[in-house]
Structure formats: C-alpha cells, structure tokens
Amino acid sequence: PWEGAPKEQVVELVQDCRVEVEKPKANILKIGSLAFGVGTTIQTVASLRPAYEALKAALAPLGINLP
C-alpha cells in the first residue's frame, strides 16, 4: 500500500512531523509514528533513498530508529 501513497500525503506527514518537532514540548511518540510512516513510504522508492537516509540520521539523536 505504501508504494501508491500520493506525494501530497507524504508531504503532509512530513509537515506534521516538523510542526511537532518544533513544539516546546514535542510528543516523541507522535514524532516517531509520523517519521516511521514517512520513512517506510520513501524507503520503497529508490529515487528517494537519500531522503530516507537523511531522515533516519536526523531522528537517531532523538532516539527514533528507523529500519
């Protein structure tokens, strides 16, 4: 199902994640869930592999480890 995710939906998830990260008291569970969804989606598209790796590296310091 992830391969067919419309780009707009992926962008919306990224925006939601960014908004949550920027909050003074960010919900780490929400960030992890959103990031996992984004990571899983973009991981399936070969051309987006660099974006996946960047997301994975950015989340590691927060204790969020993507597969």
Side-chain angles (χ1 to χ4, degrees):
W2 296 107
E3 293 91 9
K7 180 180 176 181
E8 297 82 25
Q9 290 179 6
V10 175
V11 169
E12 183 179 343
L13 282 177
V14 171
Q15 291 170 339
D16 290 349
C17 191
R18 183 176 184 179
V19 166
E20 190 63 35
V21 166
E22 292 174 348
K23 289 181 179 178
K25 289 194 171 214
N27 180 333
I28 198 75
L29 293 175
K30 185 173 185 180
I31 294 168
S33 295
L34 290 168
F36 188 80
V38 171
T40 302
T41 302
I42 64 176
Q43 184 182 28
T44 63
V45 180
S47 64
L48 295 177
R49 188 68 185 187
Y52 171 77
E53 294 300 332
L55 177 64
K56 186 175 178 179
L59 294 173
L62 298 173
I64 301 171
N65 300 306
L66 298 180

